[in-house]
Amino acid sequence: MATSAATDPPPSPDDPLFPAHRAPRCAGLEALDAEVIRCRACPRLVNWREQVAAEKRAAFRDWDYWGRPVPGFGPADAALAVVGIAPAAHGGNRTGRMFTGDPSGDFLVRGLHAVGLASQPTATGADDGLTLRGVRMAAPVRCAPPQNKPTPGERDTCRPWLAAELALLGPRLRAVVVLGAFGWQALLPVLRDAGWEVPRPRPKFGHGAQVVLAGGGDLAELRLFGCFHPSQRNVNTGRLTLPMLEEVFRDAAAAAGL
Ligand code: SF4
């Protein structure tokens, strides 16, 4: 006999429906973060994050790798969000904090510090004392993927975590810096789900792109800023320079009233 939906047990952390079930039920960011780190909904990513954590990179052999989903980082009343792709295998997947412990994070935090949004120019570990002013860093995919490339299915499975995070920030959120085309494509449906009006056709990603989304209910107008991802390739080739990053952060901070 079929069991009614009302009496079905809630999905376990390794069920693909776990994020969609749990994320909207979290009353605050602390509760959300506690649920995110339990998630095992994507078998390929769970295997990868745990394999990397067990094998380690030689330079970090003394580290006790985090090896779990990485929650957002920054104050719960942030007016500006910075959204990337996913944690790095030996960065966030090692330290347990978004954009911490890898060259991309170093570059990003240098940029934030240069415009007064970070307390220090380095991000080396979760206990390094770094604080962000009015900024919350998050990602559409919370587990480190092989080759930094999540599949569309993994992106969609993980989407409810970011949607809930932005909805919880929502009443105060004024601006989002989106790092790279993957984050841009992933974020637009998340913002629509969270209650902002996304124009059609969907706005295209580009470095320096700016889009204004109308709010609704208790959501204010939101300004999106496109920025090249601070990947090692983009930084080493000069596609993204520190002055370029600072300019985006300066404009976004002004839009967010920071
Ligand atoms: Fe869960 Fe997201 Fe990690 Fe998939 S990527 S296991 S949905 S936290």
Side-chain angles (χ1 to χ4, degrees):
M1 189 175 72
T3 309
S4 76
T7 57
D8 280 346
S12 64
D14 56 4
D15 188 315
L17 294 176
F18 181 72
H21 178 83
R22 294 309 308 161
R25 289 171 169 77
C26 295
L29 286 178
E30 217 171 301
L32 183 77
D33 293 348
E35 292 288 28
V36 166
I37 64 174
R38 297 172 59 217
C39 187
R40 304 177 63 82
C42 306
R44 187 183 79 111
L45 299 190
V46 171
N47 287 340
W48 176 250
R49 78 192 194 202
E50 293 181 355
Q51 182 186 333
V52 168
E55 293 175 355
K56 305 184 183 183
R57 177 175 281 171
F60 304 123
R61 64 180 173 275
D62 294 335
W63 273 78
D64 188 9
Y65 273 54
W66 174 251
R68 287 190 274 168
V70 180
F73 172 56
D77 60 352
L80 171 61
V82 176
V83 174
I85 300 174
H90 301 280
N93 189 53
R94 172 172 59 91
T95 63
R97 198 175 70 187
M98 202 61 76
F99 279 110
T100 298
D102 69 295
S104 294
D106 287 344
F107 194 78
L108 189 80
V109 172
R110 271 172 69 199
L112 287 169
H113 179 257
V115 302
L117 297 175
S119 62
Q120 59 191 45
T122 56
T124 54
D127 58 355
D128 63 4
L130 172 67
T131 57
L132 303 179
R133 182 174 69 83
V135 178
R136 177 99 176 168
M137 298 198 289
V141 174
R142 304 299 172 123
C143 295
Q147 278 90 47
N148 286 326
K149 284 191 183 139
T151 66
E154 290 159 351
R155 176 199 63 199
D156 293 346
T157 300
C158 204
R159 178 184 296 171
W161 297 129
L162 185 58
E165 186 158 10
L166 294 176
L168 289 167
L169 292 171
R172 291 171 186 266
L173 195 63
R174 297 289 182 276
V176 183
V177 173
V178 190
L179 303 170
F182 179 93
W184 185 270
Q185 302 290 350
L187 184 65
L188 293 176
V190 171
L191 292 172
R192 186 199 56 215
D193 290 354
W196 281 278
E197 283 180 33
V198 176
R200 285 182 182 275
R202 283 186 186 177
K204 287 204 170 86
F205 172 78
H207 183 86
Q210 292 191 27
V211 180
V212 178
L213 307 185
D218 61 353
L219 298 177
E221 183 179 275
L222 189 68
R223 191 172 288 264
L224 296 192
F225 294 81
C227 180
F228 288 142
H229 191 279
S231 64
Q232 276 182 284
R233 175 180 294 191
N234 281 344
V235 172
N236 291 344
T237 59
R239 190 170 192 232
L240 178 65
T241 63
L242 200 55
M244 288 167 68
L245 183 66
E246 289 175 21
E247 186 179 4
V248 173
F249 281 149
R250 210 170 276 117
D251 290 348
L258 295 171

mmCIF file of all heavy atoms in Angstrom, residues 19 39-42 45 49 69 141-143 157-158 161, ligand 1:
data_model
loop_
_atom_site.group_PDB
_atom_site.id
_atom_site.type_symbol
_atom_site.label_atom_id
_atom_site.label_comp_id
_atom_site.label_asym_id
_atom_site.label_seq_id
_atom_site.Cartn_x
_atom_site.Cartn_y
_atom_site.Cartn_z
ATOM 1 N N PRO A 19 18.173 18.512 0.128
ATOM 2 C CA PRO A 19 18.258 19.986 0.148
ATOM 3 C C PRO A 19 16.894 20.650 -0.053
ATOM 4 O O PRO A 19 16.564 21.604 0.657
ATOM 5 C CB PRO A 19 19.209 20.301 -1.018
ATOM 6 C CG PRO A 19 19.999 19.050 -1.223
ATOM 7 C CD PRO A 19 19.065 17.922 -0.909
ATOM 8 N N CYS A 39 24.781 17.393 4.375
ATOM 9 C CA CYS A 39 24.240 16.934 3.092
ATOM 10 C C CYS A 39 25.178 15.934 2.391
ATOM 11 O O CYS A 39 26.386 16.142 2.328
ATOM 12 C CB CYS A 39 23.986 18.145 2.202
ATOM 13 S SG CYS A 39 23.131 17.728 0.685
ATOM 14 N N ARG A 40 24.563 14.891 1.834
ATOM 15 C CA ARG A 40 25.285 13.872 1.062
ATOM 16 C C ARG A 40 24.474 13.522 -0.190
ATOM 17 O O ARG A 40 24.469 12.380 -0.655
ATOM 18 C CB ARG A 40 25.492 12.614 1.905
ATOM 19 C CG ARG A 40 26.202 12.843 3.220
ATOM 20 C CD ARG A 40 26.321 11.582 4.063
ATOM 21 N NE ARG A 40 27.126 10.574 3.405
ATOM 22 C CZ ARG A 40 28.460 10.531 3.415
ATOM 23 N NH1 ARG A 40 29.138 11.443 4.077
ATOM 24 N NH2 ARG A 40 29.109 9.591 2.783
ATOM 25 N N ALA A 41 23.797 14.524 -0.746
ATOM 26 C CA ALA A 41 22.811 14.256 -1.798
ATOM 27 C C ALA A 41 23.423 13.929 -3.162
ATOM 28 O O ALA A 41 22.727 13.394 -4.019
ATOM 29 C CB ALA A 41 21.863 15.462 -1.934
ATOM 30 N N CYS A 42 24.690 14.273 -3.379
ATOM 31 C CA CYS A 42 25.322 14.045 -4.688
ATOM 32 C C CYS A 42 26.421 12.996 -4.533
ATOM 33 O O CYS A 42 27.528 13.324 -4.066
ATOM 34 C CB CYS A 42 25.928 15.334 -5.226
ATOM 35 S SG CYS A 42 24.779 16.703 -5.312
ATOM 36 N N LEU A 45 30.034 13.784 -5.803
ATOM 37 C CA LEU A 45 30.745 14.830 -5.065
ATOM 38 C C LEU A 45 31.104 14.378 -3.656
ATOM 39 O O LEU A 45 32.156 14.761 -3.120
ATOM 40 C CB LEU A 45 29.906 16.118 -5.031
ATOM 41 C CG LEU A 45 29.589 16.717 -6.402
ATOM 42 C CD1 LEU A 45 28.966 18.092 -6.252
ATOM 43 C CD2 LEU A 45 30.830 16.800 -7.281
ATOM 44 N N ARG A 49 34.941 14.586 -2.529
ATOM 45 C CA ARG A 49 35.367 15.441 -1.409
ATOM 46 C C ARG A 49 36.030 14.588 -0.313
ATOM 47 O O ARG A 49 36.996 15.021 0.308
ATOM 48 C CB ARG A 49 34.174 16.247 -0.858
ATOM 49 C CG ARG A 49 33.234 15.451 0.034
ATOM 50 C CD ARG A 49 31.916 16.126 0.361
ATOM 51 N NE ARG A 49 31.282 15.429 1.461
ATOM 52 C CZ ARG A 49 29.983 15.461 1.743
ATOM 53 N NH1 ARG A 49 29.150 16.185 1.013
ATOM 54 N NH2 ARG A 49 29.519 14.804 2.771
ATOM 55 N N PRO A 69 30.393 19.488 2.907
ATOM 56 C CA PRO A 69 29.905 20.703 2.241
ATOM 57 C C PRO A 69 30.365 21.941 3.001
ATOM 58 O O PRO A 69 30.487 21.912 4.230
ATOM 59 C CB PRO A 69 28.377 20.558 2.318
ATOM 60 C CG PRO A 69 28.114 19.108 2.536
ATOM 61 C CD PRO A 69 29.293 18.599 3.327
ATOM 62 N N VAL A 141 27.143 25.523 -5.556
ATOM 63 C CA VAL A 141 27.440 24.109 -5.279
ATOM 64 C C VAL A 141 28.357 24.084 -4.059
ATOM 65 O O VAL A 141 29.379 24.776 -4.037
ATOM 66 C CB VAL A 141 28.104 23.428 -6.491
ATOM 67 C CG1 VAL A 141 28.537 22.009 -6.157
ATOM 68 C CG2 VAL A 141 27.151 23.419 -7.681
ATOM 69 N N ARG A 142 28.020 23.300 -3.036
ATOM 70 C CA ARG A 142 28.699 23.397 -1.741
ATOM 71 C C ARG A 142 29.801 22.374 -1.536
ATOM 72 O O ARG A 142 30.483 22.407 -0.511
ATOM 73 C CB ARG A 142 27.680 23.245 -0.612
ATOM 74 C CG ARG A 142 26.540 24.236 -0.658
ATOM 75 C CD ARG A 142 27.074 25.644 -0.538
ATOM 76 N NE ARG A 142 26.022 26.611 -0.774
ATOM 77 C CZ ARG A 142 25.676 27.557 0.092
ATOM 78 N NH1 ARG A 142 26.299 27.652 1.234
ATOM 79 N NH2 ARG A 142 24.738 28.422 -0.220
ATOM 80 N N CYS A 143 29.930 21.411 -2.453
ATOM 81 C CA CYS A 143 30.989 20.410 -2.318
ATOM 82 C C CYS A 143 31.991 20.562 -3.452
ATOM 83 O O CYS A 143 31.603 20.868 -4.591
ATOM 84 C CB CYS A 143 30.399 19.002 -2.357
ATOM 85 S SG CYS A 143 29.336 18.655 -0.965
ATOM 86 N N THR A 157 20.522 20.034 -7.861
ATOM 87 C CA THR A 157 20.257 19.404 -6.562
ATOM 88 C C THR A 157 20.643 20.339 -5.422
ATOM 89 O O THR A 157 19.953 20.423 -4.399
ATOM 90 C CB THR A 157 21.050 18.081 -6.447
ATOM 91 O OG1 THR A 157 20.628 17.209 -7.505
ATOM 92 C CG2 THR A 157 20.796 17.396 -5.111
ATOM 93 N N CYS A 158 21.752 21.065 -5.590
ATOM 94 C CA CYS A 158 22.272 21.934 -4.530
ATOM 95 C C CYS A 158 21.541 23.280 -4.453
ATOM 96 O O CYS A 158 21.647 23.988 -3.452
ATOM 97 C CB CYS A 158 23.763 22.163 -4.763
ATOM 98 S SG CYS A 158 24.673 22.600 -3.269
ATOM 99 N N TRP A 161 19.884 25.163 -1.257
ATOM 100 C CA TRP A 161 20.682 25.754 -0.165
ATOM 101 C C TRP A 161 20.931 27.234 -0.434
ATOM 102 O O TRP A 161 20.767 28.075 0.449
ATOM 103 C CB TRP A 161 22.019 25.024 -0.011
ATOM 104 C CG TRP A 161 21.951 23.577 0.374
ATOM 105 C CD1 TRP A 161 22.582 22.539 -0.244
ATOM 106 C CD2 TRP A 161 21.243 22.979 1.485
ATOM 107 N NE1 TRP A 161 22.305 21.357 0.396
ATOM 108 C CE2 TRP A 161 21.493 21.601 1.464
ATOM 109 C CE3 TRP A 161 20.424 23.499 2.489
ATOM 110 C CZ2 TRP A 161 20.956 20.711 2.400
ATOM 111 C CZ3 TRP A 161 19.880 22.618 3.420
ATOM 112 C CH2 TRP A 161 20.148 21.253 3.376
HETATM 113 FE FE1 SF4 B 1 24.599 18.386 -0.926
HETATM 114 FE FE2 SF4 B 1 25.177 20.450 -2.477
HETATM 115 FE FE3 SF4 B 1 27.103 18.810 -1.659
HETATM 116 FE FE4 SF4 B 1 25.328 17.981 -3.457
HETATM 117 S S1 SF4 B 1 26.841 19.630 -3.731
HETATM 118 S S2 SF4 B 1 26.063 16.838 -1.662
HETATM 119 S S3 SF4 B 1 23.463 19.037 -2.752
HETATM 120 S S4 SF4 B 1 25.838 20.159 -0.369
#
